[in-house]
Amino acid sequence: MLEWTDAQGAGFDLIIMDWQMPGLNGLETIRAIRQEIELTEIPKIILITAYGREEAMDQAKDLGISAFLAKPTSQAALLEAVATVCGAMELPSPDILSMPVTETVQPSHLRGARILLVEDNPINQQIAIELLSDFGVSIDLAENGRKAVEWMQDRKGVYDAILMDIQMPEMDGLTATRLIRKQLGTQPLPIIAMTAHALDQERQRCREAGMDDHITKPIDSKVLVATLARWIKPREIAPVSPTVVPSVSSSAELLPETLPPFDIPVALQRVGGDQDLLHMLIIKFYESFSDTADKLDRLVEVESFDEACRLAHTLKGLAGTFGAESLAMASQVLEEALRNRQMEGLSEKIDAFKTELVPTLAAAATLTDSSTVMEPQIGQ
């Protein structure tokens, strides 16, 4: 892209470069840009990394990188870095950057709306239900695409929108969407994808399947509400009782300010600042995934790579929700290896995944009645 745009006389001013990427990582890419191609002018470069910022800076000596940013990156930090590197950018005021969703999208018309949530992961189910119930939204749950298709056969005209996960057992979200669109005919119904992939290719696949919009995981409460408010039009909706969810006893005082490798401030932002909900979700994470290492070993041993890939995908999304970036990165690397059947080096990627999983489970266990965690055997 750099070579082509430069030849057209319309080169880029700035590159925002991730560090850890498959095929060619960020530092290797920057080195290739500077040494292997001829450009009229080399753009300024900001390098973004989820971990090992000092290591990245050390390896990036003499590469002419203008700035470094750590993940997760806030809107304010990103804009400040771009303004500093490029100069002459007028930053939005802090009030605009921190404006709460209720002041920007006015989602009051969501009250009484009815949504079908298609999601197989219990933690993601709980997050969506808790967040939307606070806005008076009624939610029905389908645990996979096949159940969603069956559910919709007798419920045309019932829902105001569908939130559809992409990767699910039995039937994925893309297939389910095509079948639901076929059932609906010309009847309009917003179907919104929930996907961990923000790539243009993934978005195109969603559009081709008949989806109207997408929300990137880990789900941000403001983005979720704003997206639904954009697609659900204000109208007279008969009031309905909000979805009944398990009661959560007050536990805010039990949630520590720090719980590494969880990033508590980031995780709280994901769940709309609800400390009780976050406390419960971290406990549920431990209860649901304490046997993940053993389960992964069994799946790989019997060559159930698709199911192992889904497991790594699930952990990637949940780790992102909780701000556990090192586990999210290790999960992503493992997921890609399993999806592409890259057997060479797979055991090392599994070990790296387990290495990040151990302290995450141990931290989660401290919020339960038991703090004993069965450590996975690395390298076995």
Side-chain angles (χ1 to χ4, degrees), residues 260-272:
F262 294 96
D263 189 322
I264 296 300
V266 168
L268 280 172
Q269 182 179 355
R270 304 282 190 217
V271 299

Side-chain angles (χ1 to χ4, degrees), residues 40 92-93 141 281 300 335 374:
T40 304
S93 71
L141 176 65
L281 292 175
V300 172
E335 178 192 4
M374 296 296 293

Side-chain angles (χ1 to χ4, degrees), residues 34-35 57-65:
R34 296 196 177 280
Q35 298 177 359
M57 293 176 69
D58 184 63
Q59 292 187 27
K61 289 179 180 177
D62 303 323
L63 285 182
I65 295 175

Side-chain angles (χ1 to χ4, degrees), residues 204-223:
Q204 182 63 31
R205 292 173 62 210
C206 292
R207 285 193 293 268
E208 291 173 352
M211 294 179 169
D212 300 287
D213 207 338
H214 82 282
I215 298 171
T216 304
K217 292 182 179 179
I219 296 171
D220 183 285
S221 59
K222 293 182 180 180
V223 174

Side-chain angles (χ1 to χ4, degrees), residues 281-351:
L281 292 175
I282 293 176
I283 292 174
K284 180 175 265 188
F285 172 78
Y286 172 71
E287 294 172 347
S288 301
F289 295 97
S290 57
D291 64 342
T292 293
D294 290 338
K295 184 176 181 181
L296 179 63
D297 286 340
R298 290 194 299 270
L299 292 172
V300 172
E301 184 178 357
V302 299
E303 299 185 356
S304 294
F305 297 120
D306 287 339
E307 191 172 349
C309 183
R310 278 197 299 270
L311 181 60
H313 178 82
T314 298
L315 266 294
K316 178 183 69 175
L318 293 176
T321 297
F322 293 129
E325 290 298 327
S326 294
L327 176 58
M329 177 63 70
S331 302
Q332 179 177 336
V333 171
L334 178 58
E335 178 192 4
E336 291 172 354
L338 289 166
R339 179 183 294 111
N340 298 321
R341 303 296 192 267
Q342 296 173 351
M343 298 299 104
E344 184 177 354
L346 181 61
S347 60
E348 288 80 6
K349 293 179 175 66
I350 292 175
D351 287 348

